[in-house]
Amino acid sequence: MVLQTIAISWFIANSSLIEKPRVWLSKQNRLLGDLLHCEICLSFWIALALTQNITKAFGIMGVQILLAKLLKHI
């Protein structure tokens, strides 16, 4: 999953294929523009999105139930 995160964040931040949408979004919102040009910042959010899908997949085995019980006590 680490390599996927690196590849996706590099592609979004540096690829010339999506330069026009990246520039357009940067003009719409400065914070979003900064995010789209920073591989490190972007990789955090991509990894978070990818792990949410993994958490849902493991939810079948009771991981979500365990997490819910742990969070209930905090």
Side-chain angles (χ1 to χ4, degrees):
M1 180 160 55
V2 173
L3 293 177
Q4 292 170 340
T5 303
I6 292 169
I8 294 169
S9 62
W10 182 90
F11 179 78
I12 292 172
N14 298 316
S15 176
S16 61
L17 293 174
I18 61 167
E19 184 175 359
K20 288 182 182 180
R22 189 174 54 238
V23 170
W24 184 80
L25 286 170
S26 298
K27 290 179 183 177
Q28 302 303 313
N29 185 337
R30 183 173 180 237
L31 181 62
L32 185 60
D34 291 343
L35 174 69
L36 291 175
H37 286 89
C38 176
E39 288 179 45
I40 298 170
C41 306
L42 198 54
S43 66
F44 171 78
W45 294 105
I46 291 170
L48 184 66
L50 291 174
T51 55
Q52 289 297 321
N53 290 335
I54 289 173
T55 304
K56 287 179 184 177
F58 283 111
I60 296 169
M61 298 186 322
V63 173
Q64 288 180 338
I65 296 169
L66 178 63
L67 288 174
K69 287 182 180 180
L70 290 173
L71 292 175
K72 198 181 232 185
H73 294 290
I74 294 177

